[in-house]
Each structure stands twice: as structure tokens, then as C-alpha cells.
Amino acid sequence: MDALSERTRQRLKSGLLILSFFVIWEVACIVFKVSEIILPRPTVVMGALVQFFPGIRPHLMQTLYTTLVGFGLGVAIGVLIGAVIGVSRVAYDTAYPLLVGFSSIPKVAVVPIFVLWFGAGTTPAILTSMVICIFPIVVNVATGLATTEPELEDVLKALGAKKFDILWNVSLPRAMPYFFASLKVAITLAFVGTVLSETVASNRGIGNLMMIASSNFNVPLVFAGLFLLAGLGVALYVIFSLIERRVAGWAMRKQDFAMG
Amino acid sequence: MMAAKPAAFAPPAPLLTSPERVRPLISLEKAGVTFGRGANAVEALTPTVLDIEKGDFIALVGPSGCGKSTILRLVANLIRATTGHVFVGGREVGAERVGIGMAFQNPTMLPWLRIRDNIMLPLKIVEPFRSEFRAKRKGEFRDRAEALLEVVGLKGFGDKFPWQLSGGMLQRANLCRALIHDPALLLLDEPFGALDQFTREELWAILQKLWMDRRPTVLLVTHDLREAAFLATRVCVMSARPGRIVADDIVPFARPRTLDMTFEPDFVALTQRLRALIVDARTGKV
Ligand SMILES: Nc1ncnc2c1ncn2[C@@H]1O[C@H](COP(=O)(O)OP(=O)(O)OP(=O)(O)O)[C@@H](O)[C@H]1O
Ligand SMILES: [Mg+2]
């Protein structure tokens, strides 16, 4: 019981700290008379969010849809590549330099190429978010699969285990924590990719909305877009954390796992 | 108890050179191992001859890096001999399926499985258990795991996760995992190396009992000479790298051996002899 209240208290503390961040922002804007064109106060941003919400909604759905599709594709492809790289030495040596090189390319640079191929709109946005989130997934899945204790491998091979037995019983479950860690990074990156592409080449989505709002000097609306993106990112992050807890809880704080 | 009959000698074991001996379960015929090639080549094991009878308990001792683990890995068919041959069950290693259980110093329990499921892992892999695993997982196999857990003193811990157990308890579980499929051959690489003296001695007694009940052929690598003399029917001493077997002693004490026996003069004399051999081997005198 004591431990529980301890945790609740800690959560309360961090909640208060986050809240105070916004309060300081608000107060600082008022005290230093910061213009709304430069930095709107949080309350003003929230006001704009509520006021324009009917107009924002379709953009929000568009961005969410694009991101989730891009993320889903990215995960599928990332897991596939990661599995191949993690299992085969040759594939690792071949694909790794390519991947590193590819991931070093700023993604802004690939958007025009996608637009060239597929035209402006949803497709380049999906592709950008996919491309941007593949790398962390590949690296984590590959690492997770490749780190099997040599002794355990010997024990299993001595039993006559085939490669698949080891993969299924040991490597895959062991890779789960790595996989989820990468999902949490990837989902936030997927948003970056979507918004990037929407900003450059789309007439829908939060990125596009923010572009238009800023050219109209509607700065509170720009910030409302930012808030929404941050909120979506946090929400999806939390969802994956919860799934992670269920599937790979053994790798996390052990007491929590024992209780849940 | 054992103090009553101090030098209790077992009937003399058959000499290795005896002509009418049965075909050994394991035999290394000038098996040597070299890792790497050219300038990087490391000879881990000079061509070695070693015969192990079925049901024997062999302890391999020797200076660090002399190739003890290499011999184990050869017998388990995890590596191939660079020269010579390894026979298991009369045929070239790997040709015949021999049930092998293996345990290392590192217990390597899977952290996401309960101890019972960890122990049952070999049953998921080895035939004939493998094809029946789904059907018997909750019944016969589970009972089997529970029975083993009880023998090693872990009754009631089957539901725990590995991180809820101490190092000594994990090593007990490790023994269970190595034995669950009733292997004909048990390969142990310093299984008790990381444990405190008391736990270790307790596990010696458990391992002895398991061996006497089931009579697998055991190949135990150890640095502890008391352990070797307590458990083994034969102790093989190896020279420094590149290793070869420089002494092959039969341990005559009657079973079940007790800890008290390890303080008797005969036993102490044996461990000291082994010690001297290894010291010589280290300094390259042999
Ligand atoms: N995969 C490998 N590649 C290269 N050299 C190796 C390899 N495995 C072992 N060796 C070398 O072979 C020699 C024998 O190794 P082995 O593991 O059999 O020693 P050991 O007797 O078990 O030693 P210890 O008592 O320290 O465990 C060592 O010198 C080691 O450096
Ligand atoms: Mg070794």
C-alpha cells in the first residue's frame, strides 16, 4: 500500500511539474508582454483549438490516418528487414551500410522525389512517414535477434534444435523489448514524416493547416496544430507502452510486472 | 557414517587397456581442434585419445584455457574436430541422435518463462517429447518437471520467474533443464563455479544422487578438485594449452560418497596429487 501511494505521489509530482511549465509560459507571456504573433499564451492556443476545431478535425483525421498507415507499413517492412539482417550474417554486412547511408539522408530531400513519382497528396506523406520510421525498427529488431547468449545456444543446439526452434523459442521473445522500444521511437518519427510531407506537398493534414495558418499570421492556430501533434504523439506512445507492458513486461521493472 | 569404513574401495574398474572391454559410449580418436587459420591459428586441443564408458562419470580438470570446454563441444557436436575422429555411440558424432543435456556456469534461464516452463524447454525441442508437447504440457510433462524440482530442492518454485530466484536456486533449475529429457549424456561445464561453498557441496550430493538413480554418462568440467574427486569415477587431468590428457585416474571411493569422506586421508591425498599434476601442467613440466 505504501509503495502504491509512493508511486501515486510521484506521478502527481511530475504532473504538477508539467502543468507548471505551461503556467510559467502563460505568466511569462503576460509579464513580458510577448506579442501573440511571436508566441501565443497556452490559453490562447487552447482557445484557438476549440474555436477552429470543426475546421481542424478533417486535417487531424487525415494526419492520423496517414501516420498510422505509414507507421504500419514501416513496422511491417522494418520487422522483415530486421529479421533477415538479425539472422543472417551476410545480409547484415550487406544491408547495414546501405541502411545507415539511407537513414542519413535528410527526409526533406526525399519528399520531392515521392511527389515526382506519385504526385502531391496522401501517398508521399504515407511513404515519407514509412521511410522515416523503418530504420530504428530494423536496427532494434536485428539487435534483439542477434543477442542470444552463446551458452544457451549451445544448450539448445546440443539438444538438436534447428535454427527455427531457437528463433521461435528464444530469439523472438528476447527481441520483443527491443521491438517495442523501437515502436515508441518510430511512432513519433512517423508523425514527423507525415507533417513534413504535408507541409511541402499536400492540401490536407495538420502540416498543411499549419502552413496556411502561418502564412495568414494566425499564430495561435499554428500552435494549436503543434499541440495536437504533440497530443497525438503522446497518446500513441502511451498506447504502445501499455501493450509493451503486457507483452514484454518481463524486461521492465520487475516488481511492477509481479503485481500486474 | 562413512568414517566407519575409511578406505572403502570399489571393485577395481576395468583398465582402459583391457582387451575385452565393451565399446565405449564416447571415444576421441586423436581428435584435435585448431581455431582459425594461418597466422591466427590457435591450437585448442592437441590430438587427444579418450574413451568414456557408458554410465561413467568423468571429471575433466586442467589449467584455464587448456581445451576442456573444447572437448565438451566436440562431444556435443557443436564444433568439428580439425583432425582425428569423435565417436558417440559407436558412430561418428552427429550420425546418431544421442540425448544430450548440457549446463554451464551461467544458468541462462529465459526471463519471460516461469521456472517450470524454462525446465520444460528441452521437451519442446527433443523428440519424442516434442510431438506430444501440446498434449502433455499440462499433465505428464508438468509432473516430470515438478518431480525434478523436488529432487533438487526447489519444490514449490515452479511458478516463480527466474529473477525471483537466487544464483544457487537458478543453478538447481539449470540442472533440472539439463536432465528433464532423460539424456544419455550429461555435459556440465563448471556448473557450480559461481556458487558459494555450501551450496556447491549441497549440489554435489544432489548431482551424485541423480547420477546414481539415472546413470547417465557424465562429462564434468571443473576447477574444483574436491568436486572432481567427490563426484567422478574417473578424473582426467589436462596439460596447459594446447591441451592433452596427462593423467587419467580412477577414483575408487564407494558411493554414495559423503562430505565427511572428503576430509579423509585417502581423499585428501588424491586431491593433492591432482593439484600437483595441474601445477606441473601449468608450468609446462609435463
Ligand atoms: N571460438 C574460438 N576461437 C578461437 N579460439 C578459441 C575459441 N574457443 C576457444 N578458443 C581457444 O582455445 C583454447 C581452449 O579453450 P577452452 O574454452 O576449451 O578452454 P577451457 O579449458 O575450457 O578453459 P577454462 O577453464 O578457462 O574455461 C583457449 O586458449 C581459447 O583461447
Ligand atoms: Mg571452459
Side-chain angles (χ1 to χ4, degrees):
Chain A
M1 276 297 109
D2 257 344
L4 208 72
S5 68
E6 176 71 19
R7 277 189 59 199
T8 326
R9 216 180 308 151
Q10 247 170 29
R11 286 204 176 151
L12 224 63
K13 246 189 244 170
S14 49
L16 276 175
L17 275 174
I18 293 171
L19 194 69
S20 63
F21 166 76
F22 288 102
V23 172
I24 291 171
W25 177 351
E26 182 88 22
V27 171
C29 283
I30 296 172
V31 170
F32 299 112
K33 299 199 175 63
V34 180
S35 150
E36 249 172 42
I37 302 284
I38 308 287
L39 180 67
R41 289 177 279 130
T43 48
V44 174
V45 174
M46 291 313 282
L49 193 59
V50 173
Q51 185 195 338
F52 297 113
F53 193 72
I56 295 175
R57 235 181 83 119
H59 291 291
L60 180 64
M61 293 328 265
Q62 167 73 15
T63 298
L64 191 60
Y65 164 78
T66 309
T67 305
L68 288 182
V69 173
F71 172 72
L73 288 174
V75 171
I77 296 174
V79 167
L80 216 71
I81 301 179
V84 172
I85 289 184
V87 172
S88 145
R89 183 79 223 178
V90 182
Y92 184 96
D93 291 340
T94 321
Y96 215 82
L98 285 176
L99 275 164
V100 172
F102 186 69
S103 74
S104 317
I105 299 171
K107 296 304 169 299
V108 190
V110 295
V111 178
I113 298 173
F114 287 147
V115 174
L116 197 70
W117 289 345
F118 303 103
T122 312
T123 314
I126 288 179
L127 288 178
T128 313
S129 77
M130 178 192 95
V131 158
I132 209 171
C133 70
I134 283 180
F135 187 66
I137 293 174
V138 170
V139 173
N140 276 279
V141 169
T143 313
L145 287 180
T147 50
T148 301
E149 289 144 307
E151 287 110 334
L152 185 59
E153 213 170 315
D154 279 0
V155 168
L156 294 173
K157 278 189 187 152
L159 289 170
K162 299 276 172 301
K163 255 196 153 142
F164 176 79
D165 294 323
I166 298 178
L167 186 73
W168 182 252
N169 287 304
V170 181
S171 312
L172 272 184
R174 170 150 293 145
M176 276 300 142
Y178 293 90
F179 174 60
F180 276 101
S182 73
L183 282 193
K184 292 191 288 187
V185 177
I187 188 67
T188 50
L189 285 178
F191 271 110
V192 174
T194 306
V195 172
L196 192 72
S197 178
E198 285 171 351
T199 313
V200 178
S202 179
N203 49 9
R204 285 158 80 197
I206 303 270
N208 176 252
L209 173 98
M210 285 163 61
M211 263 302 275
I212 293 171
S214 73
S215 57
N216 294 337
F217 296 103
N218 190 348
V219 182
L221 186 55
V222 174
F223 274 81
L226 283 183
F227 274 34
L228 273 179
L229 287 175
L232 276 183
V234 171
L236 286 169
Y237 185 95
V238 168
I239 289 173
F240 284 116
S241 303
L242 291 178
I243 301 176
E244 177 182 21
R245 229 161 222 282
R246 282 208 59 80
V247 181
W250 53 268
M252 289 192 280
R253 295 232 323 273
K254 294 173 168 167
Q255 274 72 19
D256 295 358
F257 184 44
M259 283 192 283
Chain B
M1 273 243 307
M2 293 319 294
K5 35 176 185 166
F9 282 84
L15 286 174
L16 293 172
T17 46
S18 110
E20 70 274 26
R21 70 165 210 264
V22 286
R23 204 160 45 174
L25 177 71
I26 298 170
S27 91
L28 303 193
E29 286 192 4
K30 299 200 181 125
V33 175
T34 304
F35 290 108
R37 279 157 198 270
N40 294 325
V42 178
E43 190 180 24
L45 190 68
T46 39
T48 296
V49 175
L50 176 68
D51 283 345
I52 299 173
E53 308 298 327
K54 191 169 180 334
D56 246 4
F57 195 132
I58 309 284
L60 270 178
V61 297
S64 182
C66 69
K68 304 182 292 293
S69 302
T70 303
I71 289 186
L72 241 56
R73 290 160 62 78
L74 271 178
V75 172
N77 199 22
L78 295 168
I79 50 173
R80 297 217 153 272
T82 332
T83 59
H85 297 276
V86 179
F87 295 101
V88 176
R91 298 175 62 187
E92 193 94 26
V93 64
E96 195 152 344
R97 276 252 71 88
V98 179
I100 296 181
M102 231 179 165
F104 292 89
Q105 177 171 335
N106 178 357
T108 59
M109 292 285 129
L110 300 174
W112 57 90
L113 292 181
R114 293 174 197 280
I115 292 298
R116 186 186 306 108
D117 298 320
N118 261 298
I119 290 174
M120 282 161 41
L121 185 64
L123 302 182
K124 265 195 221 174
I125 291 168
V126 181
E127 292 291 5
F129 309 100
R130 183 188 182 119
S131 31
E132 302 173 324
F133 190 75
R134 278 176 176 282
K136 298 194 173 167
R137 180 163 59 117
K138 295 249 164 69
E140 188 191 319
F141 289 176
R142 190 192 161 103
D143 297 343
R144 213 182 160 107
E146 290 299 337
L148 258 181
L149 281 171
E150 187 168 353
V151 175
V152 301
L154 280 183
K155 191 174 160 60
F157 283 90
D159 279 321
K160 296 271 190 290
F161 283 95
W163 45 267
Q164 293 171 305
L165 268 59
S166 71
M169 293 160 103
L170 286 175
Q171 204 49 263
R172 287 164 204 255
N174 195 11
L175 264 188
C176 292
R177 185 177 65 189
L179 284 165
I180 187 88
H181 55 298
D182 247 329
L185 182 56
L186 187 59
L187 303 174
L188 304 172
D189 198 340
E190 297 176 41
F192 311 134
L195 305 178
D196 67 276
Q197 192 64 40
F198 295 104
T199 311
R200 196 182 304 180
E201 287 171 354
E202 203 180 323
L203 281 166
W204 294 351
I206 289 170
L207 181 55
Q208 173 175 247
K209 181 171 165 20
L210 282 165
W211 177 74
M212 288 175 71
D213 291 347
R214 302 166 172 239
R215 287 310 288 263
T217 308
V218 184
L219 198 48
L220 167 78
V221 169
T222 178
H223 282 142
D224 185 336
L225 301 176
R226 272 181 76 224
E227 179 171 304
F230 181 94
L231 283 168
T233 48
R234 251 170 79 197
V235 179
C236 298
V237 183
M238 294 181 66
S239 70
R241 189 176 68 83
R244 62 201 168 81
I245 293 171
V246 293
D248 192 336
D249 275 29
I250 286 166
V251 185
F253 311 115
R255 297 196 190 255
R257 297 173 187 159
T258 62
L259 282 175
D260 287 340
M261 269 167 91
T262 66
F263 301 106
E264 281 166 19
D266 283 351
F267 191 98
V268 174
L270 175 63
T271 52
Q272 275 174 353
R273 208 180 87 75
L274 292 173
R275 206 186 117 72
L277 278 167
I278 292 175
V279 170
D280 285 353
R282 274 173 61 98
T283 48
K285 265 194 245 165
V286 185

